[in-house]
Every structure is written in C-alpha cells, then in structure tokens.
Amino acid sequence: MRCACGRENPVAAGRCAQCGRPLEARRDARRWAVDAAAAASLAIALGAVWALDAPRWALRSAPPADSLLPEVLQTPDRDRPTGVFRPLRLAVTPPEYDDMGKLLASLGSGYQFTEIALDDLLNARRLAAYDVVFATCGGVPNEWLGPRIGRADRGGVGSFLVRPPIADRLRQALRSFVGGGRTLYASDWQFQLLEIAFPEMIDHAKRAKGAPQTVVAEVVDQGLARRLGRSIQLRFDQPAWYPAAFKEPEATPYLRGAFKTMDGREMTGPLLVRFPFEKGNVIFTSFHNEQQHSHIEQELLRDLVFATVTAREEADVRRTLMRGGFWPKERNLLSASAGSQPVVQEYALARPGPLQFVLGFEPRGARLRLSVAGPGGARYEQEGVQTFRIEIPNASPGTWRCTITPLEVPFPNYPFTLTVGEKSGGS
Ligand SMILES: [Zn+2]
Ligand SMILES: [Zn+2]
C-alpha cells in the first residue's frame, strides 16, 4: 500500500516502513471545498461565529498521549552532552494538501513525528504531549461545521460556519498550547484556525484568497535571504490559498509578494510570518509542501521546518540579546550532520562597537564550536552543549567570519541558529 510519504509498503503492513504513519485505505478522497471570503465578513458581522473551509471526512485518531516516550532530560554538563536527550516531539495533522510528514521523513531520525487527528487540536491535554504541532493545509472534520453559508472555491460543497462550541475549544486549546512555550506551524487553509484562535493578530485589510499563479516573493528576512537569495519564485497551484494576513509589526514577515486574488484584485502582503504569543510562537506559511517543487522551493520548505523547530530557542536568544541592550541584526537558520563540514557565515559590521554572536540550540545532545575571526586578526572561540554567546566589547568594522564546527550532533540535519547582535541605537 502506498503511504502518503510516497513509500510502497506490503499490503499487510500496519505502519509505513519509512515514516511510521499508520497505513489505512484512504478514505473517500472527495474534497469538500469552500469559499470563506463571504463567510469571513459574515462571521465578523456576527461577532462570535467563524467560517471554515472544506470539511473533510472523519480522520484517523492519534495514539494515546501516554504511549509517548517520557521526557528524559538531564542537566547538561558544560563540556559534553551526557545522559539521554529526547528529541523534539513533533505532531502533524493528516496530509491533505500539505504533506509535511513526507518532508519530515526526508530529514531523518531527529524529525520523527506522530500523526494526530484534527480533533486533537481541540484538546489542550493532548497537545501538551508535543513541542511542535504542524497544522497542515486541508479541511476540517464534518462535525466542526454548522450552517452552510456559501459556495466553494476548490470544487467542494461549500463554506460553512464553524460550530461555536468547536471554535471555543479550538481557541482555548491552541492558546494554551502556544502560550505554554510551544510552537504551532499552520499552512494555507489553516489560516482559518489561527483566525479563530488568535483573532487579535488578524489584519482584516490584508485578508484575501489568492488565485493560482507564480509569485515572485521578496525574502525580507536577512538570514533567509542569505540562503535563498533576495527573491524567490513560488508556484501556487491551487485556487483560494491564504496570504499571511497578520498584523505587523506584531507578526514578523519572512516573505512578502504581490499577487492576484480570486476576485481579480492585485494585492501585496506577507506570505510567511512568525508571531509570538505569550511564551510560544506561531509560524504561518501560505506556501507549503505539495506537488513537485523547484530546488529553491525545497530549500525554503526545509528552512521552514528548521525555523519551526528552533523557534522557541531563537525567541529566547532574541529576548536575552535585547535585555542586554543589543539589537538582533541577523538570524541565520543552519543545520549540520555528523561529520559534515564546518558552516561558515560572514557578517559585515558597519560601525565599531559591541558585537555578539549567539549560537542558539537546545540541550539535546549536540556539542558545537563557534570560532569568530574579525578584521585585523582578532580571534575568539567557544564550545558548548546548549546556547552560548561570544561577546566582543569593541569590535572593529569590517568582515567578521564565523565558523561553526559540529563536534557532536545527535541526528542528521541538526538545526541551530546563529544570531548577530549589535548594540542598539542603529537599525
Ligand atoms: Zn510513509
Ligand atoms: Zn494549501
């Protein structure tokens, strides 16, 4: 039987040999689609009701939370990773349009995940078993839906109001999950879940539905631009995709672009954003893992996973920098595998002054070395098993070269961040 990740498995197999997902005969693949533009204004007019696109058929249920590995974390030694470190616990909703499971499976053993049912998003206790939840593009269960209020954009039966008790549970569960310091990834149609859970973050003027098209997106995030270039072509195959209509500056845009909407307007807005909520973070992307992607699109999707799994540590790094009077000028998402070459990054410092390089990673069994070489031969070096910094009190302007050597990594594609901070006062 062919798994959603693409692997052919024996007919009798219960689980996929590649990604571990349960193998079941696919349910009725009919898509119930939607139109939420009209629905949204109605929902807003009514105040407390929300529209949802695309109901889907009943979903598989997740294993009980108590079947998960217990957390085993020991106080990290200053020098060596010792003891048992648990990997991040990742949960993914069933693949419909965004097959995140396939992408995670390609990243190796550190990215094992549990497939959860969309109904688990209503249950804060179930969500608490995970560090990161990927709510991937697709419809929602029939049971979530109230009255039908409009026609569909993707050949389905229509657009519906979500039942108010479901909206309440969703809001409570997602806010408690993220608020507790965890990370929620949502793609495309799951914008609607964020709209229910985090209504204060929505910028209604930017709310729209995109037509199928290729968008030339500007890479606004410095670190991402370094890897992907200043602009990137993204192919949106499906009608009625959701731009990242979140308030700025509360939400930080990574990508933005000009695009055509379903109703023929030209709009410009963010396509990938991150916003903090209490102790946690939400990442929303309009673009997602779908059909065949170009090489650069695949790079973006991998970076999206790295950004998601490092979001918490990176937010801590940022807070700490700012408390110390530093401004995070650039953040780079990096990854390393055992035996891989050192990663080299250069940073151009315009003015003399205090400078910090922060290597951000959770204590999960890695040991990394950061070497910094400045203009005029200044050298600094440090190693650690979790986030550490090198601070240069009076750095000379010019090119600063950072070399990160993976001394030990617990799994391939081990993600970390390198953040550069300059003393505030400039921009
Ligand atoms: Zn599979
Ligand atoms: Zn989608």
Side-chain angles (χ1 to χ4, degrees):
M1 187 181 299
R2 189 176 169 83
C3 171
C5 75
R7 172 70 169 257
E8 287 294 344
N9 291 278
V11 179
R15 287 183 166 269
C16 171
Q18 174 165 289
C19 71
R21 276 189 283 216
L23 293 168
E24 285 175 30
R26 301 299 286 171
R27 311 258 183 185
D28 184 341
R30 185 160 67 122
R31 307 268 195 235
W32 288 30
V34 289
D35 183 340
S41 41
L42 177 55
I44 292 156
L46 295 177
V49 264
W50 297 91
L52 278 180
D53 282 356
R56 52 182 295 137
W57 293 101
L59 295 154
R60 295 181 288 268
S61 59
D66 59 10
S67 73
L68 295 163
L69 290 173
E71 178 167 343
V72 187
L73 253 188
Q74 300 181 356
T75 314
D77 184 270
R78 285 317 307 175
D79 302 307
R80 299 192 62 79
T82 52
V84 181
F85 295 88
R86 65 162 179 81
L88 279 171
R89 296 160 305 182
L90 312 180
V92 182
T93 61
E96 189 173 349
Y97 293 117
D98 177 3
D99 196 350
M100 178 53 75
K102 183 178 175 183
L103 177 57
L104 293 174
S106 77
L107 291 172
S109 61
Y111 296 86
Q112 287 175 25
F113 60 91
T114 305
E115 187 171 303
I116 60 170
L118 277 163
D119 274 335
D120 289 343
L121 300 180
L122 307 177
N123 186 328
R125 282 224 336 267
R126 267 188 181 274
L127 293 182
Y130 305 103
D131 299 299
V132 178
V133 169
F134 293 88
T136 59
C137 179
V140 300
N142 280 341
E143 302 73 41
W144 290 20
L145 300 167
R148 181 180 188 277
I149 51 168
R151 64 176 181 80
D153 278 326
R154 286 191 197 177
V157 298
S159 172
F160 299 79
L161 292 178
V162 66
R163 293 172 50 219
I166 296 286
D168 286 346
R169 289 175 62 195
L170 190 65
R171 186 180 304 118
Q172 281 168 23
L174 293 183
R175 289 176 89 88
S176 120
F177 175 74
V178 178
R182 300 181 178 89
T183 305
L184 174 64
Y185 159 107
S187 62
D188 196 1
W189 279 12
Q190 304 307 15
F191 175 83
Q192 300 171 105
L193 303 188
L194 300 182
E195 196 168 34
I196 292 168
F198 304 98
E200 73 276 21
M201 291 301 302
I202 304 299
D203 182 341
H204 293 283
K206 285 192 226 150
R207 200 184 183 290
K209 286 184 169 190
Q213 64 200 286
T214 298
V215 175
V216 180
E218 181 197 353
V219 183
V220 263
D221 178 74
Q222 291 285 327
L224 212 54
R226 210 181 249 278
R227 285 161 67 96
L228 303 175
R230 304 261 20 136
S231 75
I232 175 172
Q233 281 202 10
L234 301 176
R235 176 72 210 151
F236 288 88
D237 292 326
Q238 296 276 351
W241 54 272
Y242 282 84
F246 296 95
K247 286 181 186 161
E248 295 172 62
E250 294 91 328
T252 305
Y254 286 55
L255 297 176
R256 73 167 66 245
F259 54 88
K260 284 200 184 59
T261 65
M262 292 295 284
D263 51 9
R265 288 176 295 150
E266 297 275 353
M267 278 186 81
T268 300
L271 303 169
L272 169 59
V273 302
R274 185 172 89 180
F275 64 86
F277 174 72
E278 294 176 2
K279 290 193 272 178
N281 292 279
V282 177
I283 289 180
F284 173 81
T285 176
S286 305
F287 182 76
H288 56 71
N289 195 30
E290 199 162 345
Q291 308 287 330
Q292 290 305 307
H293 288 300
S294 68
H295 178 72
I296 196 84
E297 285 172 334
Q298 287 172 25
E299 290 278 304
L300 169 65
L301 292 167
R302 282 164 55 103
D303 278 353
L304 204 46
V305 173
F306 296 150
T308 304
V309 298
T310 57
R312 175 167 52 188
E313 193 65 18
E314 201 262 317
D316 280 352
V317 165
R318 191 181 170 85
R319 265 194 298 274
T320 311
L321 269 175
M322 291 175 79
R323 262 204 304 274
F326 282 80
W327 182 250
K329 296 285 283 188
E330 185 172 325
R331 179 224 14 117
N332 294 281
L333 282 170
L334 303 165
S335 67
S337 299
S340 66
Q341 291 298 306
V343 180
V344 178
Q345 289 277 301
E346 289 186 344
Y347 182 75
L349 180 65
R351 288 181 299 253
L355 186 61
Q356 278 197 23
F357 295 95
V358 188
L359 205 54
F361 58 115
E362 295 186 324
R364 294 189 188 279
R367 187 161 60 102
L368 304 178
R369 174 195 295 149
L370 172 62
S371 314
V372 176
R379 275 179 194 284
Y380 303 82
E381 186 167 290
Q382 197 173 329
E383 286 175 26
V385 297
Q386 60 181 310
T387 296
F388 65 83
R389 73 196 57 239
I390 289 180
E391 183 166 352
I392 297 135
N394 197 4
S396 311
T399 299
W400 288 79
R401 186 181 164 90
C402 298
T403 306
I404 301 130
T405 310
L407 302 170
E408 288 172 55
V409 288
F411 52 80
N413 298 301
Y414 184 81
F416 55 93
T417 59
L418 175 67
T419 306
V420 185
E422 286 187 40
K423 208 76 175 178
S424 308
S427 63

